[in-house]
Amino acid sequence: MPELLASCARPAWDFARVEELWARFSPLTPYGRDEKERRLVYADRSALEELYDLAEEAARDLAASSQASRDRVTYHLRRVPRLPFPRPGSGEADGERPSLELIEVFQVKKFLANYRAVAGLCGEAARSRFGLGFRAAELAALLDRGGSDPETFFVADSYHPGLPALRAEIASVDEELRRSRAAAKSAALAERGLDFGFRDFLVLPHERASGLLDCACGEARFSVEAYDGSSCVVRLQDGPASLLLAERRDELAARERELEAEALAGISEAIGAAAAELYGYADALREYDLARARALLAAELGCVRPELGSPSLAVEGGRFLPLEGDCLRLSLAYAPLTVEIGESAAVLFGSNMGGKTVALQSLLFFQLAAQAGLFVPARRFATAPYPVLRYVGELRVPAAPGSGPAGAAPAGEGPREGLSGFGFEIRAFVEAWEAARPGGAFLVFDEFARTTSSAEAEAILSAALGGLLGLPGARALFSTHFRGVARLPGVRYLRMRGLDRDEAARSMLSGEPAAERIRRINRMMRYEILEAEEDSGDSDAIAIASLLGLDEGVSRAAAERYAARGRLGDARGKET
Amino acid sequence: MTLAAADFSGRVTFITGPEKGSGKTTLLNYALGLLREAGEAPAFLGIGLEGDGAAAAPFRRSAGPGGAAPRFPLVSCRPGELFLSAGPYLRDSSCLPEVLESLPGSTALGRLAVVRARRAGRAVLVGAERNEHTALAIAAMLEPGRARTILVDGAINRITQISSLPGSAPPRFLFAVRASPGDLGRNLRAMARVYGLSRLPLEGSGPLPEPVCRVEGPLTAATLARVPAEARSLVVEDLTKVFLDERELAALRRDRVLALRRGLEFGGFVVSLRDLSPSRFSRELGDPALEELVAYGPFEARVA
């Protein structure tokens, strides 16, 4: 069953910046856009495989079509309106359905015109796969009778046997009225020197206007009313014959409205009879639109179909697109992520600025993208779908344009008022634990237990790791800079490669100005994941502190003290 | 200044005014007359719920939400002309309307649609409640083969989103004023304010004194108070975002430069006088540059 992201996985979605990818996912029809807005995260493998299959079918169809054809499909998908009546059986349509208005019939016609165009432009395989058939030819022919092009609509004469004669009479009366009024204006000019032209009224001095009172002008008469203290508004009023014509025109118009209402009722009935069929088309269009949008996004971003059902979490050349974009803007090199984790739990060590949070964000980004039905920006991504996706850690929401500064708040759900930072963390862990217990989960813990002392944190982390190992179907990823976490069987211990010490040493020896060194720190970091055992034993934090200008003697003393504490499992303090 | 069909042809023109009853709809009808005489089939629409009560423009009353009775301009239309209306009002339009486009969603007044008159009749103009829907309606009217000239009857603060519409000459606005001795001062001040705003420099057209403060959204007395004291220039999106009165504007411009990110072309003032002569109005106006932009009561066609 799909999980509605807003209620459960929102902190994970935000932490992994998936919204930045989602914003580029662009279904074009209102039905496709509605589905996008739901942000469904699927846990069912077969449902996801079906979405991937559909995206691949759409990709094949796109590849087989010309650019002109693709552009036309885009054009028609954008023009599809919503159907203007409720879905049959939805409960909204109970009872007698009222007759559709002119605009609503137009919407049905426009829907059908664009649906037929899309279906006609698709290849046979896609048409069959998405169910883009067309069986409403009779209705389409009925609607095509009213309108000067395939999308527009008016109540044409042919919709009611009484309309042609009635409208002919209206045209005749209109013409007589037009002639009569034009004659009155001509007479006003010829007899009184008053040029109304296209105007409905003139403003005349009192003296001149008063001379027009009770005066005839051909068949018409002048009407005079005060405008201000010295002027009057003068109009030409219909004479008796024109008044009779206007009255006749009103009667004919009223009768025309009745006949048009009868015509619209008949058309509405035909539409009502095809309502289920039309909603079937809307469903097919939605699926095609979504699959096409997935395929286009995958092609645009160089994405790969996720391999589901893998016992490992594996990514090759995975690109965390939001960060890749940030790096591009800052002219920094971006290192794609490659890692394979077969164990159900992994701990990622690393110094501050070393990229361990980004590594967690990246893995969660790929996982959520895959479970939202999207292909993943990587050469390969293998995983399994999880019913629960949770993130526990501080939530730094990137500032959207115009939204003010980024906010930071602990992520998770449930009542947290009055809790300290530590209280928040533990509550979030408890909730994630409870959510994971029934059927497995994908859990990400960024700097868990960072709010307590190092000894306590290491104890809690170690115990949490042990506990999570016992949860069937759970995959847990931790980042921490506490090196004293217990080494447990079944847990993978990794570290970020971190600072390129050779380059840092060269920088220090070159006498490079401090400002330039600081600016280049990011470029000296190597965002690769290594086995923790490959740790050099040197402290990145102390080296970075040196680059940042910490006194040389203080840096050296810190390095000596750190080395004295031993390497890897012997270390018991905060690295930084 | 004299108004002619060429002033409106091939572009979007907003007819605005300082308040209700300033002659906007009457001017709309006059502009339509000019264009028809020139052989054009223009498109026209209103913005919001209420037009003004000019004698030449009858209004259709309708019970609105909560029993209110909004008024909609009822405008004569010719075959081929486009307008914006709502479903229930199309039934009464008498011009055999053909629906060309519907706007998203549904308003309290029903669904809105861009329609084309297939014969002469009367069009009930119902405006969109949201600016972006007005922009959509105008874009639909400007589609190839539909209309090249559009007249919009509406308040000046509704222009913003439409000022960058592609595919036609830059939109511009006219300011309609109906003045009498009792409200002369108020109208003259409103005209001076609009004239001043229309002449504000555009960002990028020349150097602005530093530091420059960019104001997002409306510039009101309250937002002005939050502008850093050291700012020497203020930039706002366009003139419709300036909500300062003449006194506040004058005070601001004594110390700082006020500039606009986006310009709106100003077409001039259309002034209708009651119990006032043009010569007295001109004397009171007291600014020859402003006077050059005034058309006196063109639609009234005074005959001496």
Side-chain angles (χ1 to χ4, degrees), chain A residues 59-110:
Chain A
R60 279 191 291 276
D61 192 57
L62 282 163
S65 58
S66 66
Q67 183 61 47
S69 172
R70 290 196 289 272
D71 291 345
R72 286 178 63 199
V73 171
T74 299
Y75 170 83
H76 288 294
L77 286 173
R78 278 207 178 104
R79 294 185 71 81
V80 169
R82 285 180 201 281
L83 290 169
F85 49 84
R87 182 185 288 271
S90 66
E92 294 175 66
D94 293 346
E96 197 175 330
R97 186 181 290 125
S99 179
L100 297 176
E101 284 185 355
L102 184 70
I103 297 176
E104 293 168 331
V105 175
F106 156 81
Q107 287 174 309
V108 174
K109 183 180 178 188
K110 185 175 178 183

Side-chain angles (χ1 to χ4, degrees), chain B residues 7-157:
Chain B
D7 293 318
F8 302 96
S9 183
R11 70 194 320 161
V12 180
T13 302
F14 292 88
I15 297 171
T16 68
E19 56 202 2
K20 284 178 222 166
S22 55
K24 295 193 292 291
T25 307
T26 311
L27 176 54
L28 168 71
N29 275 306
Y30 178 74
L32 286 173
L34 287 174
L35 288 162
R36 286 165 184 158
E37 277 210 327
E40 281 216 43
F44 47 96
L45 65 154
I47 305 180
L49 288 185
E50 193 156 7
D52 62 25
F59 290 82
R60 181 59 52 104
R61 282 188 178 275
S62 166
R71 300 189 308 166
F72 303 105
L74 192 58
V75 176
S76 293
C77 60
R78 303 280 177 87
E81 293 179 351
L82 273 55
F83 60 94
L84 180 67
S85 192
Y89 300 93
L90 287 179
R91 279 194 295 269
D92 298 334
S93 283
S94 76
C95 61
L96 189 43
E98 177 172 15
V99 181
L100 305 183
E101 194 58 82
S102 60
L103 299 190
S106 183
T107 70
L109 306 165
R111 294 175 202 272
L112 294 179
V114 172
V115 300
R116 176 164 48 213
R118 292 181 62 87
R119 69 175 179 224
R122 297 214 130 183
V124 180
L125 302 193
V126 181
E129 291 163 2
R130 294 167 58 175
N131 283 1
E132 62 267 36
H133 288 172
T134 302
L136 283 175
I138 292 175
M141 289 171 164
L142 287 171
E143 278 192 15
R146 290 186 176 170
R148 54 187 293 277
T149 300
I150 297 183
L151 301 172
V152 188
D153 172 0
I156 194 165
N157 61 358

